Amino acid sequence: MAVAALDIRLDGILTEDDARAIFWQGEEVVVFAILELSKRIAEQKSAEPAHSHDTPATPSGSKPPYSKPSTSPRGKKRPGRKPGHPGTRRKVPARIDRRADHRAQACPDCGGPLNRCSETRTRYIEDIPEIEPEVTEHTIHRDWCPHCRKKVEPPVPDGLPGATLGNRVLVLSAWLHYALGNTLSQIVEVFNFHLQLPLTPGGLVQMWYRLQAILYGWYEEIQQEALKSGVLHADETGWRVNGKTLWLWCFTTQNLTYYMINRSRGSPALRNFFIQEFAGVLVTDFWGAYNAVVCACRQTCLAHLLRELEHTEKYKSPGKNWPAFAKKLRRLIGDAIRLWRRKDELSPQTYASRRERLTVRLQELIDTDWGNGHPKRLVKRLRRHRNDLFTFLGHPSVPFDNNHAERSIRPAVIIRKNSYGNRSQRGADCQAVLMSIFRTLKQRGHDPIQTVVQALHEYILTGQLPPLPAPKTTSDG
């Protein structure tokens, strides 16, 4: 019997009447209809992209280009400045190193002779000259000390003891790897071909280990300053070490970033960082390990909560009570954010009254019986973090999301995609230390390469590492 013989539609959604019509036409028709529907469902699934199960949390880089929707040009902001605005060009160089004079010998179109004129124009071109390594032969005088009864010699500040490569090579290569995410092979090629300075991967890694040991004092200073900060953001992500999954932790403020690679994603790792009680505000997502941190107060990320609502509605079966629950929670979060943005417009009494009303509404949402399923799951989260949701309303420097930590951990994630992690625990420790130092120096407005080179110069001469440079600006670089 053909499908067309059935007085139903098998190419759309079956209604209850359609299903009953199939049933009353007999066993053969039911079997045929089920097999036909199963065949069409299988054909639809085979035609879907392989990554059709991606969720909003799936990184864009994990999706193949053919599965990403095309961006509609309508409503998209055009690049560049608006018409009528002055353009932006490179400034005229303050220093001229070389001058060149150019004059045509004949017309480039017909090849005929030219009548010379006095008219000229000036054009500036900034370029990198051909680079050749500078080799310095250091003659080190050794003199006798009658008091110590031994020969002594002065230190050479241009390179580490015993090293044949200078400090600039060391710091530049480390910056390319630990700050910009270039792979070891890429850095070797840059030095071998562009800078004309032959290097080996093994030699570079051993130099980086020495640099880590010298700068470790700065790493500890970053940790101490983070523990004394007023607002601290935290986040974590996976990290591979020798083929095993470890965790990269990120603790950051506006002026510093501290990375730590640890085997644990739980409280043992946090105890390694929080060696003392934290007196500031800790801003995190809802990961349960952060509950073990002893701190003055917390702020949980409201953006994570909103994304959880969206994910549940799109990819799960939330239940009949979900629409009312989600509507109330979204409205509560939206009102809190709007109140935070209008703080300067309202009187202290009005602001305090509306803030108290938000707390009452949150408690009413928690006390309501929403049944089982996803509303109950999120109510448990709200009950656990009821004192952590609206902390930002009482602290002007505390945001309602954890966006700063996510942006600070992103450079490390890009490095992870390029290098796939580390091959040893020693390499992971070096990764955490040098990433933290370069990122912190950038946040503080310092030239990372020049700053570290100067620090090495002072360390070689005095044997003491200078203090970690203070911030030049408060903005995140």
Side-chain angles (χ1 to χ4, degrees):
M1 179 182 297
V3 178
L6 299 175
D7 189 18
I8 57 172
R9 289 171 47 199
L10 291 181
D11 57 346
I13 299 176
L14 289 178
T15 64
E16 184 177 352
D17 294 337
D18 294 335
R20 292 184 182 278
I22 294 176
F23 176 78
W24 290 113
Q25 293 188 46
E27 179 181 353
E28 295 182 359
V29 178
V30 172
V31 173
F32 180 82
I34 293 175
L35 292 176
E36 184 67 20
L37 287 174
S38 176
K39 177 182 177 182
R40 295 186 182 184
I41 292 174
E43 292 175 351
Q44 292 177 358
K45 286 187 176 181
S46 62
E48 292 178 355
H51 287 251
S52 60
H53 59 279
D54 291 336
T55 70
T58 304
S60 177
S62 299
K63 303 176 184 177
Y66 58 79
S67 68
K68 299 179 182 179
S70 300
T71 304
S72 175
R74 178 175 297 179
K76 186 177 180 180
K77 182 180 178 182
R78 294 174 60 86
R81 295 189 175 184
K82 295 182 180 179
H85 282 236
T88 301
R89 302 185 61 181
R90 288 185 63 86
K91 296 181 180 180
V92 175
R95 185 188 75 253
I96 305 298
D97 299 309
R98 185 171 64 91
R99 286 180 169 84
D101 193 72
H102 304 272
R103 188 156 223 166
Q105 300 301 320
C107 177
D109 296 328
C110 66
L114 301 174
N115 295 329
R116 301 304 182 187
C117 303
S118 60
E119 180 182 355
T120 62
R121 74 181 184 92
T122 303
R123 178 184 175 189
Y124 299 97
I125 297 178
E126 296 181 78
D127 202 353
I128 299 175
E130 183 177 353
I131 299 175
E132 292 184 1
E134 181 184 71
V135 181
T136 304
E137 180 183 25
H138 295 271
T139 301
I140 306 171
H141 294 276
R142 307 183 68 185
D143 297 309
W144 177 260
C145 175
H147 178 74
C148 299
R149 303 189 61 80
K150 66 178 181 179
K151 289 185 176 181
V152 296
E153 61 183 41
V156 180
D158 295 340
L160 298 180
T164 57
L165 294 175
N167 292 334
R168 291 190 177 277
V169 174
L170 167 60
V171 178
L172 175 60
S173 62
W175 178 74
L176 290 173
H177 186 65
Y178 295 105
L180 301 188
N182 296 112
T183 63
L184 187 58
S185 60
Q186 290 172 341
I187 296 172
V188 170
E189 290 188 5
V190 168
F191 277 91
N192 286 354
F193 299 116
H194 174 60
L195 301 179
Q196 305 298 317
L197 182 61
L199 295 178
T200 61
L204 272 182
V205 172
Q206 294 303 318
M207 289 175 60
W208 293 342
Y209 287 161
R210 296 183 67 182
L211 181 63
Q212 173 218 358
I214 294 173
L215 299 181
Y216 192 80
W218 281 3
Y219 185 65
E220 293 179 325
E221 286 187 52
I222 295 173
Q223 180 185 13
Q224 291 297 325
E225 291 187 21
L227 293 174
K228 297 177 182 178
S229 61
V231 181
L232 183 64
H233 303 252
D235 200 6
E236 78 289 332
T237 186
W239 193 269
R240 301 284 286 179
V241 177
N242 196 24
K244 299 180 181 180
T245 300
L246 273 67
W247 299 95
L248 173 72
W249 293 83
C250 174
F251 305 94
T252 179
T253 70
Q254 294 298 322
N255 293 320
L256 61 85
T257 297
Y258 182 93
Y259 296 108
M260 178 180 67
I261 299 176
N262 196 278
R263 296 180 179 273
S264 172
R265 197 191 177 192
S267 56
L270 291 170
R271 284 195 293 268
N272 288 343
F273 176 77
F274 290 99
I275 55 179
Q276 62 191 45
E277 181 178 350
F278 182 60
V281 180
L282 181 63
V283 184
T284 67
D285 54 21
F286 291 93
W287 177 237
Y290 295 111
N291 298 330
V293 179
V294 179
C295 59
C297 53
R298 311 171 190 270
Q299 172 62 55
T300 48
C301 180
L302 298 186
H304 277 76
L305 198 55
L306 293 174
R307 285 199 291 266
E308 178 69 20
L309 294 176
E310 178 186 358
H311 176 78
T312 302
E313 290 172 350
K314 286 188 175 182
Y315 300 98
K316 298 181 181 179
S317 301
K320 63 179 182 179
N321 293 330
W322 176 264
F325 169 79
K327 181 179 180 180
K328 284 183 175 293
L329 183 55
R330 278 196 179 97
R331 183 172 295 176
L332 177 63
I333 295 175
D335 290 344
I337 296 174
R338 282 187 288 270
L339 177 61
W340 173 70
R341 290 172 175 166
R342 295 187 58 197
K343 181 177 182 180
D344 296 336
E345 304 174 8
L346 302 174
S347 65
Q349 295 78 10
T350 303
Y351 184 82
S353 175
R354 295 187 180 182
R355 180 185 174 188
E356 181 62 28
R357 178 57 188 162
L358 291 174
T359 305
V360 173
R361 289 169 56 187
L362 174 62
Q363 190 60 46
E364 292 175 351
L365 188 67
I366 294 175
D367 293 339
T368 303
D369 183 10
W370 299 101
N372 295 322
H374 294 286
K376 184 177 181 180
R377 174 176 61 87
L378 287 183
V379 164
K380 290 182 179 179
R381 180 181 299 179
L382 296 177
R383 183 180 295 111
R384 186 182 305 114
H385 297 281
R386 72 178 76 189
N387 297 325
D388 309 334
L389 297 176
F390 300 140
T391 304
F392 70 100
L393 294 176
H395 296 77
S397 58
V398 177
F400 60 84
D401 56 24
N402 199 25
N403 187 38
H404 181 70
E406 294 176 346
R407 286 188 288 111
S408 296
I409 207 172
R410 179 172 175 79
V413 173
I414 295 175
I415 293 175
R416 180 186 64 190
K417 291 186 65 175
N418 293 339
S419 60
Y420 306 106
N422 303 104
R423 298 182 63 182
S424 66
Q425 186 60 50
R426 185 180 183 186
D429 295 339
C430 184
Q431 184 90 36
V433 171
L434 296 184
M435 277 199 312
S436 302
I437 291 172
F438 285 127
R439 177 69 181 175
T440 299
L441 291 176
K442 181 181 178 182
Q443 287 179 264
R444 298 188 172 195
H446 296 279
D447 180 346
I449 298 176
Q450 187 64 25
T451 303
V452 176
V453 169
Q454 292 175 354
L456 290 179
H457 186 277
E458 184 172 344
Y459 172 81
I460 294 172
L461 290 178
T462 65
Q464 298 291 329
L465 184 68
L468 181 69
K472 286 186 177 181
T473 61
T474 57
S475 61
D476 183 29

